[in-house]
Amino acid sequence: MQQATTATEQPAEQGNAPRYDLRQIDVDPNFWYPVAWSAKVRKGKAFAARFAGHPIALIRPEYGPVYALEDRCAHRQVPLSKGVVDDKGCVKCCYHGWAFDQQGKCVTVPYLNKEGVGRPVKAYPCREKSGLIFIFPGDPDLADKVPVPDIAQVGNPEYKTRQFSPRLKCHYTFMHENLMDMNHQFLHRRQMGSITARFLGQDKGENFMEARYSFARKGGNQPLAEALIFGKHHDDGREQPVEEVVSIRTTYPYQTLQIHDKDGDLIMDLWACYLPLGETQQVTQAFGLLSVKKPKWTFLLDIAWPVLGLFTHRIFEEDREIVEMEQNAWRELGGDHNVEVFPVVKSLRELLARSGVPNRYAKPLKQD
Amino acid sequence: MQQATTATEQPAEQGNAPRYDLRQIDVDPNFWYPVAWSAKVRKGKAFAARFAGHPIALIRPEYGPVYALEDRCAHRQVPLSKGVVDDKGCVKCCYHGWAFDQQGKCVTVPYLNKEGVGRPVKAYPCREKSGLIFIFPGDPDLADKVPVPDIAQVGNPEYKTRQFSPRLKCHYTFMHENLMDMNHQFLHRRQMGSITARFLGQDKGENFMEARYSFARKGGNQPLAEALIFGKHHDDGREQPVEEVVSIRTTYPYQTLQIHDKDGDLIMDLWACYLPLGETQQVTQAFGLLSVKKPKWTFLLDIAWPVLGLFTHRIFEEDREIVEMEQNAWRELGGDHNVEVFPVVKSLRELLARSGVPNRYAKPLKQD
Amino acid sequence: MQQATTATEQPAEQGNAPRYDLRQIDVDPNFWYPVAWSAKVRKGKAFAARFAGHPIALIRPEYGPVYALEDRCAHRQVPLSKGVVDDKGCVKCCYHGWAFDQQGKCVTVPYLNKEGVGRPVKAYPCREKSGLIFIFPGDPDLADKVPVPDIAQVGNPEYKTRQFSPRLKCHYTFMHENLMDMNHQFLHRRQMGSITARFLGQDKGENFMEARYSFARKGGNQPLAEALIFGKHHDDGREQPVEEVVSIRTTYPYQTLQIHDKDGDLIMDLWACYLPLGETQQVTQAFGLLSVKKPKWTFLLDIAWPVLGLFTHRIFEEDREIVEMEQNAWRELGGDHNVEVFPVVKSLRELLARSGVPNRYAKPLKQD
């Protein structure tokens, strides 16, 4: 077939740009990653989580903190998370009853009267904070030097917070790009009406990058949920500046979206982390916490809460569809063919590429 | 395991026969291929089609002809067919609103005040005829030199025409062989009764091959649908010659089946094209048009129409099952092991092999 | 990611142990393998079975014994088992009607007036015994020298026998290990209560290995089904020795489990064979026959029969889940990481490894 030179037939980021395929850059494991909601790991039970192809057993004894082990018994590799938590807080494998302690040491092989028969399993540093269970999948010696992230408004009585954790069939980098590039409001035209982002500026540093936008509505009705949070905008036919400022920030590996109103008050604060599930990191579990400032009459937010939930759900489903289509195109084309023209996204891509690590299955890009 | 030398353990077409695997021969892209029914592509809308792994967006503006673009936005490769057709007839990508015209040129990147920022997408020559939308996937410079096929009886008021477009999990060549080899009537014994094909002769040329058959019924009841089209055969217990002549012709890449009655009148005319969907061309979308000559009293055909539909559907489902089993055997055996003994099918296989092009993933056959 | 040296990160069987991956050892084809229950292959019909990726057509003529052919027509490789058995006991392919006899010879190509046109298909030695149809997939010359297995209690009026044939998504070797290692009673704690195996001893030889156990109950209620077979145990709070002896024996490639009561009477006799279905042998069809000695009042066993069925079904489902999780871990880890500490299982693994043959797709283990 004749080959016209079109966008999708050339790899992205040509010329003097870095030669990487962003979808083959894994997350840096030397950070704290949330792997489950605290409430899902009940007392005296084990729970199956996953980080980038590594199965993780989270175990919460009746007394004492949650701990995290490799979710494969050292004997026959079946999941420890299917096992039984005993009264010493150890987890017994469901198959032959080998028992492992908090450090992953095998303390009992019940049918052999010998010491030290069983082998250990790997233990992961594990912390609990803001309703999430975090593990440190990288070098355990670095765990104490790297802070568990602060999720600012969780626990702040002035805010009401919603948890969400959708699973997406795409690489985590698509999620960062989707949120950072507010020019994609066209995608949400059915939910948001005709709204246009105005880019106000960006900041960047070694491990972060931030973009700020304001929004202008060009006709159409303001959605109810938006009005409930921001107050009603008067629609007199002219372009209406929406005076809130939206700041999106990737502080590697986390991402936040904050909305400040015209008085500089923080009225919405979203925190998200994108956990890769599979070994090729092309399936992502997002953990998100969305905090909304309570208005003077709190009951108004309580009433609006389900509507707000539906509204964010619908928007999110549009985002999910598009990022999964991006991943699908990557798979069909056998690589990243994005042609980025927006400086903010270019900076973000550089940040993600230099902060992550190449996937072990990544193919080197051809120098042509 | 001991290896007896049986048919399936040797590659097909040995000796001095050509050394190809017919299931790894792609269609020649330098022809017009139907990719959608006209009625499916509505005014002001885009439609997703596919040719051999290439996604195709068909766009029908409010005014003017349908056109065809590569179905991936030049920006982030998501389908343009999910987009919006604007009042200039351009298609705007659903994600960030990049707009493309009929030639695939990017005419707008709405959030950047610069000209010529976006890259183009590939455009395919596109024609509409006989209720079908055709594209020319090969060298665009050849498009005007290659005729869009005539589907003879479509639009002829003496015929009533039925459209069908089943999807089959098999290589397109199995479809050509299935229809060409009328000795497979044994497969349809439940629908057709005991009917036997009599081979009358074949013609062949550079780009076509045709086989002619008559049929004899050996007892059993004539199906109702058959009687409605051909008239009733008297069954006096002897072998009944059915005096119609069935001609099957592959004029590359299309196929027709025509039935002439004893007076030489064309009473049935089937046209089919087998569109490969995936890159390995092992999934096929057939586009078929079946025209039946109207009898003197047209209402008889109208009454028979649903019965005829059911009859052809049942026969087709038997064909589908068998060609998919053939494909499955090819996959399990890792190649084509057919042992063809019927000269007509041998000629057809040669025609298909020399007219197509080797698949890019095809493995060379061993010379043993 | 930092790599701690834990059990699952090292291949199994290190040091001076044999260097094989047991999950890449195929069954030796030079044995008789059951491929279907006799009752499933009705008179005048063909039946589709499978051995290690090889499709098998079992054909039972109206008169005469069942026979087995390669389940691919020599012409176009579609399944002969979809065909018609004619009155000479031949099978006619459903597509073009080629007919094959008991030896796999093509006796008719109905539309060609020539002799010897069609090619043969492979025939497998085939026997029927104890309600099962066996084939000999290996060297046919060895078939008569290798005995069809005796399934001792089938047909013995003192026993009542149940058939089962579950399909499992795991390598057959997991099944042998699961049954042989009675220390896995912990897995069945919900069905069996707190029961502990006591290892009594093992025997081994060139082609077999046997382990014997007794059981002790540590509190908990005795299940109804168990009591119906063995009689009630008195539970006075002390550890109760269960005086039956359980003997598990792999006589390659078959496996049996026998329970003798305190008087030495055989009260339960299980025979099983694990048939690999796919080419990589990672899907298994078990054929099992479970014979239970009839008590003095036979009607008691008849009444208990459904309860016994449910009981064994529940236990089996626990075994299924665990062996499929083992297979899954093997796939994720890319090899066998079992760390076996129980001498019985070590012996069994050696027996299975030396009796089988390496899979054609097996990767050699690294010498590190």
Side-chain angles (χ1 to χ4, degrees), chain C residues 57-122:
Chain C
L58 299 175
I59 297 126
R60 190 190 295 278
E62 283 292 337
Y63 305 99
V66 171
Y67 62 97
L69 303 179
E70 179 182 6
D71 197 11
R72 288 190 179 108
C73 179
H75 178 210
R76 297 185 68 89
Q77 291 71 58
V78 295
L80 291 174
S81 57
K82 296 272 177 186
V84 171
V85 181
D86 72 13
D87 48 17
K88 288 176 204 131
C90 294
V91 61
K92 290 173 78 174
C93 177
C94 70
Y95 200 177
H96 300 85
W98 291 29
F100 299 87
D101 69 10
Q102 281 83 337
Q103 282 74 46
K105 194 187 151 204
C106 179
V107 292
T108 323
V109 173
Y111 49 94
L112 292 179
N113 292 321
K114 278 194 251 175
E115 291 281 318
V117 184
R119 295 233 207 140
V121 295
K122 182 173 178 174

Side-chain angles (χ1 to χ4, degrees), chain A residues 95-170:
Chain A
Y95 200 177
H96 300 84
W98 291 30
F100 300 87
D101 69 10
Q102 282 82 337
Q103 283 74 45
K105 194 189 152 204
C106 178
V107 292
T108 323
V109 173
Y111 50 95
L112 293 179
N113 292 321
K114 279 195 249 173
E115 290 283 315
V117 184
R119 294 232 208 141
V121 295
K122 183 173 177 175
Y124 291 90
C126 183
R127 301 279 184 281
E128 198 163 5
K129 187 174 174 182
S130 305
L132 284 164
I133 297 171
F134 291 84
I135 64 156
F136 195 87
D139 178 357
D141 293 341
L142 299 178
D144 282 337
K145 296 168 198 149
V146 176
V148 180
D150 267 319
I151 304 174
Q153 310 318 327
V154 172
N156 181 339
E158 291 181 38
Y159 292 81
K160 189 173 171 91
T161 297
R162 176 185 290 280
Q163 298 177 335
F164 52 96
S165 47
R167 191 168 287 199
L168 300 119
K169 296 195 198 90
C170 72

Side-chain angles (χ1 to χ4, degrees), chain A residues 135-200:
Chain A
I135 64 156
F136 195 87
D139 178 357
D141 293 341
L142 299 178
D144 282 337
K145 296 168 198 149
V146 176
V148 180
D150 267 319
I151 304 174
Q153 310 318 327
V154 172
N156 181 339
E158 291 181 38
Y159 292 81
K160 189 173 171 91
T161 297
R162 176 185 290 280
Q163 298 177 335
F164 52 96
S165 47
R167 191 168 287 199
L168 300 119
K169 296 195 198 90
C170 72
H171 197 252
Y172 67 95
T173 54
F174 289 113
M175 302 299 293
H176 281 276
E177 292 178 271
N178 173 270
L179 196 65
M180 188 64 79
D181 189 350
M182 278 289 133
N183 298 306
H184 87 266
Q185 289 310 316
F186 185 65
L187 178 69
H188 303 305
R189 61 200 177 275
R190 287 181 212 87
Q191 313 308 327
M192 305 282 278
S194 234
I195 202 168
T196 310
R198 212 173 267 170
F199 176 53
L200 302 177

Side-chain angles (χ1 to χ4, degrees), chain A residues 8 177-178 326 332 338-339, chain B residues 70 72 75-77 95 137:
Chain A
T8 64
E177 292 178 271
N178 173 270
E326 289 192 279
E332 286 192 358
N338 284 13
V339 173
Chain B
E70 179 183 6
R72 287 192 179 109
H75 179 209
R76 297 184 69 89
Q77 292 71 55
Y95 199 178

Side-chain angles (χ1 to χ4, degrees), chain B residues 252-267:
Chain B
Y252 194 85
Y254 315 111
Q255 196 170 35
T256 56
L257 180 154
Q258 295 188 319
I259 306 178
H260 291 84
D261 68 11
K262 55 190 167 189
D263 304 320
D265 282 346
L266 177 66
I267 55 175

Side-chain angles (χ1 to χ4, degrees), chain C residues 166-210:
Chain C
R167 191 169 288 199
L168 301 119
K169 296 195 198 90
C170 72
H171 198 253
Y172 67 94
T173 53
F174 289 113
M175 301 299 294
H176 281 276
E177 291 178 271
N178 172 269
L179 196 65
M180 188 64 77
D181 188 350
M182 278 290 134
N183 298 306
H184 85 267
Q185 289 311 316
F186 185 63
L187 179 68
H188 303 305
R189 60 199 177 275
R190 288 181 212 87
Q191 313 307 327
M192 304 281 278
S194 235
I195 202 168
T196 310
R198 212 172 268 170
F199 176 53
L200 302 178
Q202 63 169 310
D203 286 320
K204 50 186 173 175
E206 176 56 26
N207 74 329
F208 78 93
M209 106 120 254
E210 182 180 284

Side-chain angles (χ1 to χ4, degrees), chain A residues 29 50-55 70 72-79 82-84 92-98 109 111-112 114 117-124 137-140 279, chain C residues 1-11 14 23 174 177-178 181 183-187 189-190 319 321-323 325-326 329 332-333 336-343 345 349:
Chain A
R50 193 163 269 263
F51 173 84
H54 298 272
E70 178 182 9
R72 287 191 178 107
C73 179
H75 177 209
R76 298 184 69 90
Q77 291 71 56
V78 296
K82 297 271 177 185
V84 170
K92 289 173 79 174
C93 176
C94 71
Y95 200 177
H96 300 84
W98 291 30
V109 173
Y111 50 95
L112 293 179
K114 279 195 249 173
V117 184
R119 294 232 208 141
V121 295
K122 183 173 177 175
Y124 291 90
D139 178 357
E279 203 173 7
Chain C
M1 192 175 311
Q2 190 259 8
Q3 297 294 326
T5 304
T6 59
T8 64
E9 285 158 357
Q10 296 295 330
Q14 291 224 350
R23 316 314 170 189
F174 289 113
E177 291 178 271
N178 172 269
D181 188 350
N183 298 306
H184 85 267
Q185 289 311 316
F186 185 63
L187 179 68
R189 60 199 177 275
R190 288 181 212 87
D319 286 323
E321 192 187 0
I322 205 83
V323 291
M325 289 193 299
E326 288 191 279
E332 287 192 358
L333 293 167
D336 185 10
H337 290 249
N338 283 13
V339 172
E340 198 44 64
V341 295
F342 185 40
V345 178
R349 290 168 67 93

